[in-house]
Amino acid sequence: MTGSEPRPDGLRPGEVSVEAPVRADAALVFIGRIATPWRRRADCPRQGDPADGPECRLHLDPLWTAALDGIEAPVRLQILYWMHEARRDLVRLAPRGHDDSRPRGPFALRAPTRPNPIASSIVALVGMERGVAPVLIVRGLDCLDGTPLLDIKPWRG
Amino acid sequence: MTGSEPRPDGLRPGEVSVEAPVRADAALVFIGRIATPWRRRADCPRQGDPADGPECRLHLDPLWTAALDGIEAPVRLQILYWMHEARRDLVRLAPRGHDDSRPRGPFALRAPTRPNPIASSIVALVGMERGVAPVLIVRGLDCLDGTPLLDIKPWRG
């Protein structure tokens, strides 16, 4: 094992984990799933591009169809989603592919690894398919195919 | 009862609820609490002001102290928090105190009422108290005193 390979516990040099709480202080309900071109974490771009990124599709649970009323393309939206493959127990991270890779806390980084792995992205809404199972077509995401969707908010940035 | 008063189910005219799922697709852990000057929802400002808003204090659970390493004031942060008093079952909302109060879906509004009541605010970090129970002092929040804290991310807007 060299210094640059992950250790058996999956940590990289300089990374530190804690015994994270297993309690549920609040419960999330997935409101849909996000379809993207990226099947593995290594394939995901570091940051989405609302202008030139590929189209991704937000497949909404039909229960929430009416909750979209009032959204019209083109507009910017803030999307919250759940990074379901991320570890939640690290308090010091060695960011990969970062200009400055010295280890630091997850609250000083936007990496997926964090106590509550909620991501927030600003996207461009480029189309909508209304119907029984509504779909929003957006540019600007960088997440895995199949990522659970948590929230959609208007963005006036 | 007039048209402008809440109905016995708590809904205003034009509002629609659904039977929201009670399942937990994922569990949140509160990483701390937010101390603000506002004790009732009616007292909260409509939007926080990172330049001139009052100082609010993010009291972090000591478990996550090291997770702050690398954050230095002054800087902008994105704060995610849990709007614990919000209803989660409405698919059409009559926004209060909005220029345009016609009912629309929660995904077309930034109101607390939504399936997953996660708020996102951009704040100015004006100070930090390190120690056993770390505190971040910020401007730009608009939430109730005692609101549970979910996440802290750097913001490069």
Side-chain angles (χ1 to χ4, degrees):
Chain A
M1 188 169 87
T2 72
S4 62
E5 284 169 7
R7 303 195 313 239
D9 56 9
L11 299 183
R12 293 196 287 268
E15 293 191 329
V16 175
S17 65
V18 294
E19 198 160 328
V22 292
R23 68 177 192 269
D25 292 327
L28 292 171
V29 169
F30 298 158
I31 61 167
R33 293 272 172 181
I34 306 176
T36 79
W38 307 292
R39 301 294 168 88
R40 299 177 313 157
R41 284 180 68 164
D43 299 333
C44 295
R46 271 225 36 235
Q47 188 168 6
D49 181 344
D52 293 318
E55 289 184 359
C56 298
R57 296 169 66 84
L58 312 183
H59 292 270
L60 206 74
D61 183 325
L63 176 67
W64 304 112
T65 301
L68 294 171
D69 284 359
I71 300 180
E72 302 287 345
V75 73
R76 294 268 158 143
L77 297 174
Q78 180 179 14
I79 305 297
L80 302 184
Y81 48 95
W82 186 249
M83 294 175 287
H84 56 303
E85 295 196 1
R87 284 182 73 146
R88 306 177 64 173
D89 61 337
L90 267 59
V91 293
R92 190 160 290 128
L93 281 182
R96 205 199 293 261
H98 213 269
D99 299 340
D100 169 8
S101 64
R102 97 196 118 88
R104 75 201 92 161
F107 300 144
L109 296 163
R110 293 186 67 94
T113 304
R114 47 209 319 114
N116 292 300
I118 302 167
S120 162
S121 288
I122 310 304
V123 303
L125 177 67
V126 297
M128 290 181 76
E129 296 171 5
R130 296 181 190 269
V132 179
V135 178
L136 276 67
I137 303 158
V138 304
R139 292 186 198 276
L141 290 175
D142 53 19
C143 60
L144 280 175
D145 186 47
T147 294
L149 182 62
L150 296 176
D151 200 10
I152 300 167
K153 301 177 193 284
W155 179 256
R156 305 171 196 95
Chain B
M1 188 167 87
T2 72
S4 61
E5 285 169 5
R7 304 195 311 238
D9 56 8
L11 299 184
R12 294 196 286 269
E15 293 191 329
V16 175
S17 66
V18 294
E19 197 160 328
V22 292
R23 67 177 192 268
D25 292 328
L28 293 171
V29 169
F30 298 158
I31 60 166
R33 293 272 172 180
I34 306 176
T36 79
W38 307 291
R39 302 293 168 86
R40 299 176 314 157
R41 284 180 69 164
D43 298 334
C44 295
R46 270 223 37 234
Q47 189 168 7
D49 181 345
D52 293 319
E55 288 184 359
C56 298
R57 295 168 66 85
L58 312 183
H59 292 270
L60 205 75
D61 183 325
L63 176 66
W64 304 112
T65 302
L68 295 171
D69 284 359
I71 300 180
E72 302 286 345
V75 73
R76 294 267 159 144
L77 297 174
Q78 179 179 15
I79 306 297
L80 302 184
Y81 48 96
W82 187 249
M83 296 177 285
H84 56 303
E85 294 196 1
R87 284 182 73 147
R88 306 178 63 174
D89 61 338
L90 266 59
V91 291
R92 190 160 289 128
L93 281 183
R96 205 200 291 259
H98 213 268
D99 300 340
D100 169 5
S101 64
R102 96 195 120 88
R104 77 201 90 161
F107 300 144
L109 295 163
R110 292 186 68 94
T113 304
R114 48 209 319 114
N116 292 301
I118 302 167
S120 162
S121 288
I122 309 304
V123 304
L125 177 67
V126 297
M128 290 181 77
E129 296 171 5
R130 296 181 189 267
V132 180
V135 179
L136 276 66
I137 303 159
V138 303
R139 293 185 197 277
L141 290 175
D142 54 18
C143 60
L144 280 175
D145 185 49
T147 294
L149 182 63
L150 296 176
D151 200 10
I152 300 167
K153 299 177 193 287
W155 179 256
R156 305 172 194 96

Short mmCIF file of all heavy atoms in Angstrom, two decimals, chain A residues 2 19 29 33 36 38-39 41-42 54 56 60 79-80 96 101 108 116 126 129 133 137 142 155:
data_model
loop_
_atom_site.label_atom_id
_atom_site.label_comp_id
_atom_site.label_asym_id
_atom_site.label_seq_id
_atom_site.Cartn_x
_atom_site.Cartn_y
_atom_site.Cartn_z
N THR A 2 0.65 2.16 -0.90
CA THR A 2 1.38 3.43 -0.92
C THR A 2 0.50 4.50 -0.28
O THR A 2 -0.67 4.28 0.00
CB THR A 2 1.70 3.86 -2.36
OG1 THR A 2 0.49 4.28 -2.99
CG2 THR A 2 2.31 2.74 -3.15
N GLU A 19 -17.87 8.31 14.74
CA GLU A 19 -19.00 7.41 14.83
C GLU A 19 -20.27 8.26 14.67
O GLU A 19 -20.75 8.88 15.62
CB GLU A 19 -18.99 6.68 16.18
CG GLU A 19 -19.85 5.44 16.17
CD GLU A 19 -19.46 4.48 17.29
OE1 GLU A 19 -18.27 4.42 17.65
OE2 GLU A 19 -20.37 3.81 17.80
N VAL A 29 -38.71 12.25 2.14
CA VAL A 29 -39.47 11.49 1.16
C VAL A 29 -38.91 11.83 -0.22
O VAL A 29 -38.81 13.01 -0.57
CB VAL A 29 -40.97 11.87 1.24
CG1 VAL A 29 -41.73 11.31 0.07
CG2 VAL A 29 -41.56 11.39 2.56
N ARG A 33 -36.91 10.82 -9.24
CA ARG A 33 -35.54 10.37 -9.54
C ARG A 33 -34.99 11.21 -10.69
O ARG A 33 -35.75 11.68 -11.53
CB ARG A 33 -35.54 8.90 -9.99
CG ARG A 33 -35.92 7.92 -8.91
CD ARG A 33 -34.72 7.48 -8.09
NE ARG A 33 -35.18 6.69 -6.93
CZ ARG A 33 -34.35 6.17 -6.03
NH1 ARG A 33 -33.04 6.36 -6.13
NH2 ARG A 33 -34.83 5.50 -5.01
N THR A 36 -29.59 10.95 -15.57
CA THR A 36 -28.44 11.67 -16.11
C THR A 36 -27.61 10.71 -16.96
O THR A 36 -27.83 9.49 -16.92
CB THR A 36 -27.53 12.25 -14.99
OG1 THR A 36 -26.70 11.21 -14.45
CG2 THR A 36 -28.35 12.88 -13.88
N TRP A 38 -24.58 9.83 -16.40
CA TRP A 38 -23.42 9.33 -15.65
C TRP A 38 -23.80 8.16 -14.74
O TRP A 38 -24.60 8.30 -13.83
CB TRP A 38 -22.79 10.47 -14.85
CG TRP A 38 -22.50 11.63 -15.74
CD1 TRP A 38 -21.57 11.68 -16.73
CD2 TRP A 38 -23.19 12.89 -15.77
NE1 TRP A 38 -21.62 12.90 -17.37
CE2 TRP A 38 -22.60 13.66 -16.81
CE3 TRP A 38 -24.23 13.46 -15.03
CZ2 TRP A 38 -23.04 14.95 -17.11
CZ3 TRP A 38 -24.66 14.73 -15.32
CH2 TRP A 38 -24.06 15.47 -16.36
N ARG A 39 -23.16 6.99 -15.01
CA ARG A 39 -23.51 5.77 -14.28
C ARG A 39 -22.58 5.48 -13.11
O ARG A 39 -22.85 4.65 -12.28
CB ARG A 39 -23.48 4.56 -15.24
CG ARG A 39 -24.45 4.69 -16.41
CD ARG A 39 -25.89 4.67 -15.93
NE ARG A 39 -26.82 5.07 -16.97
CZ ARG A 39 -27.36 4.25 -17.86
NH1 ARG A 39 -27.07 2.98 -17.83
NH2 ARG A 39 -28.20 4.71 -18.76
N ARG A 41 -19.60 7.27 -10.21
CA ARG A 41 -19.18 8.54 -9.62
C ARG A 41 -18.00 9.13 -10.36
O ARG A 41 -17.91 10.35 -10.52
CB ARG A 41 -18.83 8.36 -8.14
CG ARG A 41 -20.08 8.24 -7.29
CD ARG A 41 -19.76 8.07 -5.82
NE ARG A 41 -19.16 9.28 -5.25
CZ ARG A 41 -19.06 9.50 -3.94
NH1 ARG A 41 -19.53 8.60 -3.09
NH2 ARG A 41 -18.52 10.59 -3.49
N ALA A 42 -17.09 8.27 -10.84
CA ALA A 42 -15.89 8.77 -11.53
C ALA A 42 -16.24 9.47 -12.85
O ALA A 42 -15.44 10.25 -13.37
CB ALA A 42 -14.91 7.63 -11.78
N PRO A 54 -25.22 18.65 -20.51
CA PRO A 54 -26.20 17.81 -21.19
C PRO A 54 -27.57 17.90 -20.52
O PRO A 54 -27.68 18.21 -19.33
CB PRO A 54 -25.62 16.40 -21.04
CG PRO A 54 -24.71 16.48 -19.87
CD PRO A 54 -24.18 17.87 -19.82
N CYS A 56 -30.66 16.71 -18.58
CA CYS A 56 -30.99 15.66 -17.60
C CYS A 56 -32.49 15.73 -17.37
O CYS A 56 -33.12 16.76 -17.59
CB CYS A 56 -30.23 15.90 -16.31
SG CYS A 56 -28.42 15.82 -16.50
N LEU A 60 -40.76 13.06 -11.85
CA LEU A 60 -41.47 13.34 -10.60
C LEU A 60 -42.50 12.26 -10.29
O LEU A 60 -43.21 11.80 -11.18
CB LEU A 60 -42.17 14.71 -10.73
CG LEU A 60 -42.41 15.44 -9.42
CD1 LEU A 60 -41.12 16.02 -8.87
CD2 LEU A 60 -43.45 16.52 -9.60
N ILE A 79 -32.28 22.88 -7.46
CA ILE A 79 -32.65 21.48 -7.28
C ILE A 79 -31.91 20.93 -6.07
O ILE A 79 -30.68 21.08 -5.97
CB ILE A 79 -32.24 20.66 -8.54
CG1 ILE A 79 -32.84 21.28 -9.81
CG2 ILE A 79 -32.65 19.20 -8.40
CD1 ILE A 79 -34.33 21.29 -9.85
N LEU A 80 -32.64 20.31 -5.16
CA LEU A 80 -32.02 19.61 -4.03
C LEU A 80 -32.17 18.11 -4.26
O LEU A 80 -33.25 17.65 -4.63
CB LEU A 80 -32.67 20.00 -2.69
CG LEU A 80 -32.67 21.47 -2.31
CD1 LEU A 80 -33.28 21.65 -0.91
CD2 LEU A 80 -31.27 22.07 -2.34
N ARG A 96 -10.61 15.02 -3.92
CA ARG A 96 -10.00 14.48 -5.12
C ARG A 96 -10.25 15.46 -6.27
O ARG A 96 -11.32 16.04 -6.37
CB ARG A 96 -10.67 13.15 -5.45
CG ARG A 96 -9.82 12.18 -6.26
CD ARG A 96 -10.68 11.14 -6.91
NE ARG A 96 -11.32 10.22 -5.97
CZ ARG A 96 -10.85 8.99 -5.71
NH1 ARG A 96 -9.75 8.57 -6.25
NH2 ARG A 96 -11.51 8.20 -4.89
N SER A 101 -5.54 20.06 -2.55
CA SER A 101 -6.10 18.80 -2.05
C SER A 101 -5.75 18.54 -0.58
O SER A 101 -5.89 17.44 -0.10
CB SER A 101 -5.60 17.64 -2.90
OG SER A 101 -4.21 17.53 -2.77
N ALA A 108 -16.26 22.81 4.65
CA ALA A 108 -15.45 23.75 3.87
C ALA A 108 -15.35 23.31 2.40
O ALA A 108 -14.61 23.91 1.63
CB ALA A 108 -14.05 23.86 4.47
N ASN A 116 -25.18 15.12 6.21
CA ASN A 116 -26.44 14.99 5.48
C ASN A 116 -26.14 15.24 4.00
O ASN A 116 -26.00 16.39 3.59
CB ASN A 116 -27.47 16.00 5.99
CG ASN A 116 -27.93 15.69 7.39
OD1 ASN A 116 -28.47 14.62 7.67
ND2 ASN A 116 -27.69 16.63 8.31
N VAL A 126 -35.24 23.69 -19.38
CA VAL A 126 -35.34 23.87 -20.83
C VAL A 126 -36.60 23.23 -21.40
O VAL A 126 -36.95 23.48 -22.55
CB VAL A 126 -34.09 23.32 -21.56
CG1 VAL A 126 -32.86 24.11 -21.14
CG2 VAL A 126 -33.88 21.84 -21.29
N GLU A 129 -42.46 17.95 -19.63
CA GLU A 129 -43.47 17.04 -20.18
C GLU A 129 -44.51 16.87 -19.10
O GLU A 129 -44.27 16.23 -18.08
CB GLU A 129 -42.82 15.70 -20.55
CG GLU A 129 -41.78 15.84 -21.66
CD GLU A 129 -40.97 14.58 -21.89
OE1 GLU A 129 -41.27 13.54 -21.24
OE2 GLU A 129 -40.02 14.63 -22.69
N ALA A 133 -47.08 11.27 -15.30
CA ALA A 133 -45.77 11.24 -14.64
C ALA A 133 -44.94 12.37 -15.23
O ALA A 133 -44.29 12.22 -16.26
CB ALA A 133 -45.09 9.90 -14.85
N ILE A 137 -37.04 18.87 -17.86
CA ILE A 137 -35.77 18.70 -18.58
C ILE A 137 -34.89 19.89 -18.24
O ILE A 137 -35.32 21.04 -18.43
CB ILE A 137 -36.02 18.57 -20.09
CG1 ILE A 137 -36.98 17.38 -20.33
CG2 ILE A 137 -34.71 18.37 -20.84
CD1 ILE A 137 -37.72 17.45 -21.64
N ASP A 142 -24.82 17.43 -12.20
CA ASP A 142 -23.55 16.69 -12.28
C ASP A 142 -23.64 15.38 -11.50
O ASP A 142 -22.62 14.82 -11.12
CB ASP A 142 -22.41 17.55 -11.71
CG ASP A 142 -22.72 18.07 -10.30
OD1 ASP A 142 -23.61 17.50 -9.63
OD2 ASP A 142 -22.08 19.03 -9.87
N TRP A 155 -35.36 29.98 -8.53
CA TRP A 155 -34.07 30.61 -8.19
C TRP A 155 -34.00 31.98 -8.84
O TRP A 155 -34.12 32.11 -10.06
CB TRP A 155 -32.89 29.74 -8.68
CG TRP A 155 -31.56 30.35 -8.38
CD1 TRP A 155 -30.72 30.99 -9.26
CD2 TRP A 155 -30.91 30.41 -7.10
NE1 TRP A 155 -29.59 31.42 -8.60
CE2 TRP A 155 -29.69 31.08 -7.28
CE3 TRP A 155 -31.26 29.96 -5.83
CZ2 TRP A 155 -28.80 31.30 -6.22
CZ3 TRP A 155 -30.37 30.17 -4.79
CH2 TRP A 155 -29.16 30.85 -4.99
#
